[in-house]
Amino acid sequence: MPTKATARYVLGHNKGQHVLLEDACVVYSGDTIEYVGHDYTGPVTEEHHLGDALLMPGLIDLDALTDIDHLILDSWAGPEQAKGHQWSEDYFRNRRADVFTAEERQQIREYALIQLILHGITTYMPIASEVHSEWAEPFEELVGMAETSRRLGLRGYLGPAYRSGVNVVLKNGERSVRFDAGRGREGLADALRFIDHATELNDPLITGVLLPCRIETLDIELLKATAAASEEHDVLVRLHSLQGLVERELILDRHGVTPLELLDQVGMLNERLLIPHATYTDRNPAVFGEDRGDLARLADSGASIIHCPLTSMRYGSILDSFNAYKAAGINISLGTDSFPPDLVRGIDAGVQLGKILAGSNDAGDLAGYFDAATLGGARALRRIDLGRLEPGAQADMVAFSLGDIRDGVHEDPLRTLTLNGTARQAVLSVVAGRTIMADGLIEGVDLDYWRGKAQELFARMREAYALRDGLNRPSDELFPPVYARLER
């Protein structure tokens, strides 16, 4: 027997696009939606009466933080201070070590996945910092994360991150990359082993993918091997690239081509590729300030970008511009990349920055951003059954309450949510027909415990930065408070 969810607003789907219904319902049975509309009269076994809320497709976060918050530390520093946030060359050669035990890493993962659920994410692809790991992510860590994800009920596209190099700060203060090719080969082997493991799990909520680290931390052999493995196994690859001037300069110096040209040369620039950020194409003012063919090259390849507007803004970067990438025919999906995993705030940031770039209020493409958070993510994953509420689609949905006086007045629920709200207003989350969060609570999860545990782990992570800093500065100097603290 089916389940019925009713709400004042439902973001349904009709003839290939999202449409808004008022005082409507979604009916689903098992993992599949059976009905979206106003007048369902059939029998049901369970009902969710959501009241003054927006019920919409579950949000798809393809650069989802599965780590402890680091942006709160490293998004404030000037160039000299920021060097202390990287590995020193001495740390790379002589002293690198894991900050956390294997058990603590699993605790960090669980805390982060809980945060995704609380913010309305139903499908995710993880991202975690390698700064506080001895190298990258071992096979066993992702096996444990997959089990946690299955228990909580999220839909995950998972794989251990791997690399053959690491960003370091040299003694003269310059940025560079130091390589250990053997570690790269081991990492790819672990990633392929995990793909086999995911297949053996035979769980539709777990899919194995290739998640190499930043493009400048992969040598040419590892790039080519990753591209070949993606083709052989027909699996997605997500590779952070086109995201900064330092990356661009390192790639030009080492390979004599731009990052986008390198992706093409190694055989990775195709429909299986997902590129987080993609902000430093030739139209970026810091590059050429005009489109010289990069957008057409991206569009023709079929690759998807993962736009992370809130995180980009906080690091002083911007996609120039969302509308230009969209007009070029590039598939745009969304990611959070840092804390909070709040795509509503991300959408708001992207829309408002789009207005500033264009100098016009009508340049803020709110529908385009919601499409990116749902349909664009589904397209990147090659899953036409995700990102939409229509019969036959997967029963993945989230409801955001709009009933608090602090939400303000209603004109259009999507504008009200974006301008006046946050993803913390999520009150219901359903993945493949299973309710994984209701009334803002996750069954069996002690949120107070996880709040305390996360603070404990964060404190250790913060202190460990001092061990890697080439100038041996204490963490309080690397991360000064906004105002000086007055001691007792």
Side-chain angles (χ1 to χ4, degrees):
M1 294 283 281
T3 299
K4 179 182 178 182
T6 59
R8 179 176 176 183
Y9 305 106
V10 172
L11 191 65
H13 202 76
N14 184 50
K15 298 180 180 178
Q17 62 185 8
H18 292 324
V19 292
L20 188 66
L21 296 79
E22 290 199 43
D23 298 319
C25 68
V26 177
V27 179
Y28 52 97
S29 183
D31 64 358
T32 307
I33 295 172
E34 294 185 351
Y35 176 86
V36 180
H38 298 94
D39 302 312
Y40 185 83
T41 57
V44 297
T45 55
E46 184 180 359
E47 293 193 57
H48 298 289
H49 296 286
L50 300 167
D52 207 351
L54 169 65
L55 180 62
M56 62 174 290
L59 298 175
I60 300 175
D61 185 349
L62 297 185
D63 209 32
L65 184 72
T66 51
D67 205 344
I68 298 291
D69 185 10
H70 63 84
L71 183 143
I72 199 170
L73 294 172
D74 62 22
S75 61
W76 305 97
E80 289 305 311
Q81 192 174 9
K83 292 175 182 177
H85 303 167
Q86 302 287 331
W87 287 16
S88 67
E89 189 169 23
D90 174 61
Y91 184 82
F92 164 76
R93 294 191 183 282
N94 303 311
R95 298 184 293 109
R96 64 183 191 240
D98 288 319
V99 173
F100 300 112
T101 66
E103 180 183 3
E104 288 168 337
R105 287 296 299 169
Q106 292 303 320
Q107 292 173 335
I108 289 170
R109 298 295 196 179
E110 184 158 357
Y111 167 78
L113 295 182
I114 289 167
Q115 291 284 1
L116 296 183
I117 295 172
L118 293 174
H119 287 82
I121 307 298
T122 57
T123 296
Y124 74 101
M125 191 177 281
I127 176 68
S129 172
E130 303 87 20
V131 167
H132 44 268
S133 296
E134 185 272 336
W135 190 253
E137 295 174 350
F139 167 79
E140 293 78 13
E141 186 170 316
L142 268 293
V143 169
M145 182 180 173
E147 289 309 304
T148 301
S149 188
R150 295 174 74 195
R151 171 166 49 84
L152 292 172
L154 282 163
R155 189 184 301 278
Y157 285 74
L158 309 180
Y162 59 93
R163 59 183 177 178
S164 53
V166 61
N167 285 283
V168 300
V169 177
L170 306 179
K171 288 184 178 180
N172 63 8
E174 294 181 358
R175 288 275 301 274
S176 187
V177 179
R178 291 292 181 258
F179 287 93
D180 184 338
R183 296 301 296 267
R185 290 191 295 271
E186 292 170 4
L188 177 57
D190 268 1
L192 294 174
R193 184 180 167 202
F194 183 83
I195 288 172
D196 290 339
H197 173 74
T199 302
E200 291 167 3
L201 287 177
N202 195 30
D203 185 338
L205 295 185
I206 299 294
T207 302
V209 292
L210 294 171
L211 302 179
C213 300
R214 302 163 63 108
I215 188 172
E216 75 272 19
T217 65
L218 276 67
D219 60 37
I220 192 71
E221 288 77 16
L222 190 56
L223 283 166
K224 290 179 178 178
T226 297
S230 170
E231 181 176 13
E232 179 182 353
H233 297 273
D234 190 28
V235 294
L236 299 172
V237 179
R238 189 195 63 199
L239 178 60
H240 284 70
S241 47
L242 314 177
Q243 66 174 329
L245 289 179
V246 172
E247 169 210 292
R248 184 180 176 89
E249 291 164 2
L250 288 169
I251 296 296
L252 281 168
D253 288 345
R254 189 180 309 132
H255 302 287
V257 295
T258 69
L260 184 59
E261 290 168 338
L262 182 61
L263 290 171
D264 205 358
Q265 283 186 9
V266 299
M268 200 178 292
L269 190 60
N270 54 52
E271 71 284 353
R272 294 184 299 276
L273 178 65
L274 286 68
I275 306 175
H277 306 300
T279 46
Y280 282 80
T281 58
D282 52 21
R283 68 170 287 124
N284 187 295
V287 182
F288 296 121
E290 62 181 12
D291 187 9
R292 298 185 178 183
D294 279 0
L295 297 195
R297 192 172 201 163
L298 277 169
D300 291 344
S301 72
S304 297
I305 71 164
I306 306 172
H307 179 29
C308 305
L310 187 62
T311 293
S312 292
M313 180 180 72
R314 288 176 167 182
Y315 285 113
S317 179
I318 188 171
L319 189 72
D320 191 351
S321 70
F322 181 90
N323 288 345
Y325 280 60
K326 180 180 171 182
I330 298 167
N331 182 50
I332 306 173
S333 59
L334 292 190
T336 52
D337 189 42
S338 62
F339 194 86
D342 190 327
L343 283 177
V344 174
R345 292 179 70 181
I347 289 170
D348 188 28
V351 167
Q352 310 316 325
L353 289 169
K355 296 177 185 179
I356 294 171
L357 277 175
S360 174
N361 276 351
D362 62 2
D365 186 1
L366 185 56
Y369 268 92
F370 271 96
D371 283 353
T374 52
L375 300 171
R379 196 171 299 119
L381 297 174
R382 304 185 293 182
R383 291 288 302 267
I384 61 171
D385 59 337
L386 299 180
R388 66 195 69 204
L389 299 183
E390 66 177 357
Q394 281 285 293
D396 289 13
M397 63 197 78
V398 61
F400 295 100
S401 173
L402 299 174
D404 193 294
I405 190 171
R406 288 165 290 192
D407 298 326
V409 298
H410 294 197
E411 186 273 327
D412 179 289
L414 296 165
R415 290 196 187 102
T416 296
L417 177 62
T418 303
L419 293 171
N420 301 347
T422 77
R424 293 183 184 185
Q425 291 161 225
V427 291
L428 176 74
S429 187
V430 176
V431 178
R434 172 185 168 186
T435 300
I436 64 172
M437 185 266 286
D439 298 321
L441 299 174
I442 305 169
E443 185 176 358
V445 172
D446 183 342
L447 298 181
D448 287 336
Y449 166 81
W450 284 108
R451 183 172 179 270
K453 174 58 67 173
Q455 193 66 43
E456 172 191 320
L457 294 167
F458 173 77
R460 186 182 309 174
M461 183 186 84
R462 182 180 183 274
E463 289 300 311
Y465 276 86
L467 302 174
R468 297 184 291 267
D469 178 30
L471 299 179
N472 299 311
R473 289 168 288 187
S475 57
D476 285 347
E477 184 177 338
L478 289 171
F479 310 113
V482 177
Y483 293 109
R485 292 178 178 172
L486 186 64
E487 300 298 331
R488 287 181 178 272

